């Protein structure tokens, strides 16, 4: 059965299958002939418009030479898609190691990705050193693991620089910008990057000021993905797991919250000015830190 308003899980599954087919250097027509399907059916599966079952998925993977445990993650995703429960857990959160995760896929395919972050700079906007400092704070991680997570984090950020990108509005609470991660020098570099990214035509960075008091309290971080032909999707992250919400009743409050955020936040010009001011403050702080380090070395 074909769908225009395709379920997010099926779209994600189809996206992974399309990449696997391309890696195997098979055209959609060649794969269709191998499976005895039409080319249109293969195309609809890869766009998520057909609700694929696990038997059909195993056949698809077999035609690509993928057998046994190598396809387990996709089979589990297919089973999850078939439940259509309106929400699901992703096994990885924001600091993930697999570049084919749900979060990366939906950031790359949404027409509009709205982010609210109350405590930290959003992942898509982070510098390498900011990301490294935050990820390394999880002391159970090895150095290799930290390096890999930073690499993936930076790759995520490349979605802002691809041709014909979607729209990326960011609402960042002022306290997230004032929460010093690592050092004043790291924060200065991070503020400069925010100002530069805010200059991109498809990126909007707006600060929710602490001066708004309780009118600036909007709960936890979230991302709202919106699409031209498909239902919107919400992602809630705690960096160990992520929760996706697709049911209309779950998503509607977050769409309403974006409207409220728009009213409470500073406009783009005011936000850039605040971030630039913070960059200067952190610059002075890094100079003081450097001076103290020299004094300590001389003792």
């Amino acid at each position: 059965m074909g769908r225009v308003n395709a379920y997010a899980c099926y779209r994600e599954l189809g996206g992974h299958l399309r990449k696997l087919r391309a890696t195997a250097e098979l055209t959609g027509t060649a794969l269709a002939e191998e499976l005895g399907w039409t080319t249109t059916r293969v195309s609809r599966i890869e766009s998520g418009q057909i609700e694929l079952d696990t038997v059909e998925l195993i056949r698809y993977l077999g035609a690509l030479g993928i057998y046994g445990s190598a396809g387990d993650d996709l089979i589990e995703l297919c089973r999850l898609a078939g439940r259509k429960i309106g929400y699901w857990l992703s096994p990885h959160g924001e600091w993930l190691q697999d570049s084919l995760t749900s979060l990366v896929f939906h950031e790359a395919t949404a027409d509009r990705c709205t982010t609210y972050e109350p405590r930290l700079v959003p992942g898509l906007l982070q510098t390498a050193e900011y990301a490294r400092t935050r990820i390394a704070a999880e002391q159970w991680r090895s150095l290799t693991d930290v390096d890999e997570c930073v690499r993936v984090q930076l790759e995520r950020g490349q979605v802002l620089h691809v041709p014909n990108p979607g729209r990326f509005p960011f609402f960042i609470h002022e306290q997230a910008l004032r929460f010093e991660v690592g050092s004043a020098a790291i924060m200065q570099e991070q503020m400069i990057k925010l100002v530069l990214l805010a200059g991109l035509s498809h990126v909007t960075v707006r600060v929710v000021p602490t001066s708004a008091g309780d009118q600036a309290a909007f709960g936890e971080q979230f991302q709202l993905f919106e699409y031209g032909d498909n239902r919107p999707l919400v992602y809630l992250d705690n960096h160990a797991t992520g929760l996706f919400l697709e049911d209309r009743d779950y998503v509607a409050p977050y769409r309403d919250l974006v409207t409220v955020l728009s009213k409470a936040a500073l406009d783009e010009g005011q936000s850039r000015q605040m971030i630039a001011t913070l960059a200067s403050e952190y610059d002075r702080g890094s100079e003081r830190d450097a001076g103290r380090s020299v004094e300590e070395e001389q003792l």
Side-chain angles (χ1 to χ4, degrees):
M1 179 178 64
R3 300 180 62 90
V4 174
N5 198 357
Y7 286 97
C9 274
Y10 283 116
R11 298 200 309 273
E12 181 185 343
L13 177 61
H16 294 335
L17 293 178
R18 184 171 57 253
K19 289 184 179 180
L20 289 172
R21 177 177 58 75
T23 300
E25 298 183 346
L26 273 179
T27 65
T29 300
L31 180 62
E33 290 176 354
E34 174 73 18
L35 293 169
W37 295 347
T38 65
T39 303
T40 299
R41 179 172 179 79
V42 171
S43 176
R44 288 182 175 177
I45 286 172
E46 292 180 352
S47 63
Q49 295 177 331
I50 288 180
E51 297 174 8
L52 193 67
D53 63 35
T54 55
V55 173
E56 292 174 312
L57 174 59
I58 290 169
R59 287 190 62 203
Y60 186 110
L61 295 175
L64 299 180
I66 299 173
Y67 302 101
S69 60
D72 284 353
D73 287 347
L74 291 178
I75 291 171
E76 179 57 32
L77 180 59
C78 185
R79 288 172 176 156
L80 184 63
R83 294 175 191 151
K84 303 177 190 174
I85 55 178
Y87 63 89
W88 67 93
L89 283 173
S90 171
H92 302 286
E94 183 178 6
W95 296 335
L96 36 78
Q97 294 173 298
D98 180 359
S99 61
L100 294 180
T101 59
S102 299
L103 179 59
V104 170
F105 175 81
H106 293 294
E107 285 175 338
T109 57
D111 292 326
R112 188 179 187 88
C113 174
T114 301
T115 299
Y116 169 61
E117 177 56 71
R119 294 185 177 87
L120 297 170
V121 171
L124 291 177
L125 304 179
Q126 291 178 8
T127 65
E129 287 308 308
Y130 187 103
R132 181 178 299 279
T133 302
R134 288 298 302 156
I135 295 168
E138 297 185 337
Q139 297 182 4
W140 58 268
R141 292 186 183 274
S142 66
L143 180 59
T144 300
D145 187 50
V146 171
D147 288 343
E148 180 66 8
C149 288
V150 172
R151 181 189 66 79
V152 173
Q153 185 81 302
L154 296 180
E155 286 185 359
R156 281 181 61 211
Q158 288 305 304
V159 73
L160 301 178
H161 304 286
V162 299
N164 302 313
R167 308 293 299 182
F168 288 88
F170 293 91
F171 293 94
I172 311 173
H173 200 288
E174 182 181 344
Q175 67 185 4
L177 303 178
R178 293 188 179 279
F179 177 65
E180 187 168 312
V181 171
S183 68
I186 289 174
M187 293 303 297
Q188 183 210 11
E189 180 187 26
Q190 180 63 77
M191 295 304 107
I192 292 172
K193 182 171 183 178
L194 288 178
V195 171
L196 293 175
L197 290 175
L200 297 176
S201 61
H202 57 283
V203 174
T204 303
V205 177
R206 296 180 61 188
V207 178
V208 179
T210 55
S211 60
D214 59 2
Q215 299 300 309
F218 298 101
E220 298 300 314
Q221 179 270 358
F222 70 87
Q223 286 177 271
L224 171 65
F225 303 104
E226 296 177 279
Y227 311 86
D229 296 325
N230 296 297
R231 58 174 62 85
L233 183 68
V234 167
Y235 178 71
L236 308 176
D237 178 59
N238 69 0
H239 86 260
T241 58
L243 175 64
F244 283 93
L245 307 174
E246 188 173 29
D247 185 277
R248 287 183 176 86
D249 290 340
Y250 300 148
V251 172
Y254 290 94
R255 300 188 80 177
D256 294 340
L257 187 53
V258 170
T259 301
V260 179
L261 278 166
S262 295
K263 295 177 180 178
L266 301 177
D267 65 28
E268 294 178 62
Q270 292 169 327
S271 297
R272 282 195 300 270
Q273 182 59 54
M274 174 179 282
I275 296 169
T277 299
L278 286 171
S280 297
E281 292 178 4
Y282 282 124
D283 184 35
R284 291 193 292 273
S286 64
E287 290 175 355
R288 287 193 296 271
D289 291 344
R292 281 195 293 269
S293 296
V294 171
E295 291 174 0
E296 290 170 359
E297 290 176 1
Q298 293 174 341
L299 293 177

